[in-house]
Amino acid sequence: MERVTLITGGSSGIGAATARALLAQGHPVAVTGRDAGRLAAFAARTDAGQQLLTLPGDAADENDVASAVRRTVERWGRLDTVIANAGHSLPGTLEDHDPQAMRAMVLTNVLGPALLVRETLPHLRASRGRIVVVGSVAGLRNTPGNLYSVTKWAAHALAENVRQLVAQDHVGVTLVAPGVVDTPFWDERGGTPQASPVLTPEQIADVIVFAVNQPEGTDVNQLVVRPRGQNG
């Protein structure tokens, strides 16, 4: 059966790799992103036709999230999987962050997944679908002054909180916590990842798809994936 998936932050990195993997399995996919040009470029490269829906919008804006969900359901008549992937970081520590940039990061990384869950739960209850929250190993260990880590701790808490909320509704919830992955995420931090080796977006996409492809009666709740050699 084709399963309809909505992915936030799907124009590059882990989100784009996951979209490509699901499309390759024959599933319709909708992806959101703040940059309409990047979404259009992704759609052109993917060449998935009517199986791919691109939705410009802000993952932390309740109206954009509601619109993305509505348009996805209008296109395919159902929603089976949502992947809360949109997120970003800041270079340095909270001592030198701009307060408005801090606000934007917290809204995207914490409020964004919560809005996605809020808006999609009626559809996921109907389809007995799945929620995937993309966290980070930064949500498992603290780094001094790292506000991004704080937001990921919150995202991890959200995943478990939602799991308890929907367990009786047979909606699956999976937290995927990657280690260092070579994605455009690092452009925001002013450089490339220092760990060697690093994971690829495609490797994390494989983990997400593994969770998504579990049968209805199975709920994989947490998957932590590091490159071999990453100690932290």
Side-chain angles (χ1 to χ4, degrees):
M1 180 185 71
E2 293 184 349
R3 294 186 303 274
V4 177
T5 299
L6 172 61
I7 305 172
T8 62
S11 63
S12 64
I14 293 169
T18 304
R20 288 191 295 267
L22 290 169
L23 287 165
Q25 293 186 352
H27 303 303
V29 177
V31 298
T32 75
R34 288 180 294 179
D35 190 322
R38 290 177 69 177
L39 282 171
F42 170 67
R45 291 192 304 271
T46 305
D47 192 26
Q50 292 301 303
Q51 288 291 92
L52 175 66
L53 177 64
T54 57
L55 301 165
D58 185 343
D61 182 284
E62 65 270 27
N63 295 317
D64 288 351
V65 174
S67 175
V69 174
R70 182 180 67 253
R71 291 178 61 188
T72 300
V73 174
E74 286 174 353
R75 167 71 74 89
W76 290 299
R78 60 183 294 131
L79 183 59
D80 301 277
T81 305
V82 295
I83 300 172
N85 170 70
H88 67 93
S89 184
L90 296 170
T93 71
L94 60 84
E95 289 186 284
D96 39 55
H97 292 340
D98 172 74
Q100 290 307 310
M102 295 167 74
R103 179 186 297 275
M105 180 172 67
V106 171
L107 290 177
T108 299
N109 294 4
V110 182
L111 179 63
L115 289 173
L116 183 67
V117 170
R118 176 184 181 274
E119 200 64 37
T120 58
L121 273 184
H123 304 288
L124 297 175
R125 285 188 171 111
S127 65
R128 293 194 169 191
R130 292 186 184 277
I131 299 164
V132 177
V133 176
V134 179
S136 170
V137 295
L140 300 171
R141 56 186 295 273
N142 277 298
T143 302
N146 190 317
L147 187 61
Y148 170 77
S149 177
V150 173
T151 68
K152 288 303 182 180
W153 278 78
H156 289 205
L158 174 69
E160 174 59 17
N161 185 286
V162 172
R163 186 196 68 77
Q164 294 184 27
L165 174 68
V166 300
Q168 297 305 311
D169 301 317
H170 302 279
V171 175
V173 179
T174 302
L175 170 71
V176 176
V180 181
V181 185
D182 189 5
T183 73
F185 166 91
W186 291 94
D187 296 341
E188 301 167 343
R189 301 179 66 88
T192 56
Q194 299 301 308
S196 179
V198 296
L199 295 167
T200 66
E202 288 73 22
Q203 287 172 312
I204 303 304
D206 287 344
V207 173
I208 293 172
V209 171
F210 165 79
V212 169
N213 284 341
Q214 293 301 301
E216 183 180 304
T218 303
D219 196 11
V220 177
N221 299 132
Q222 187 173 111
L223 294 165
V224 181
V225 188
R226 292 179 175 89
R228 290 190 182 186
Q230 180 181 342
N231 191 36

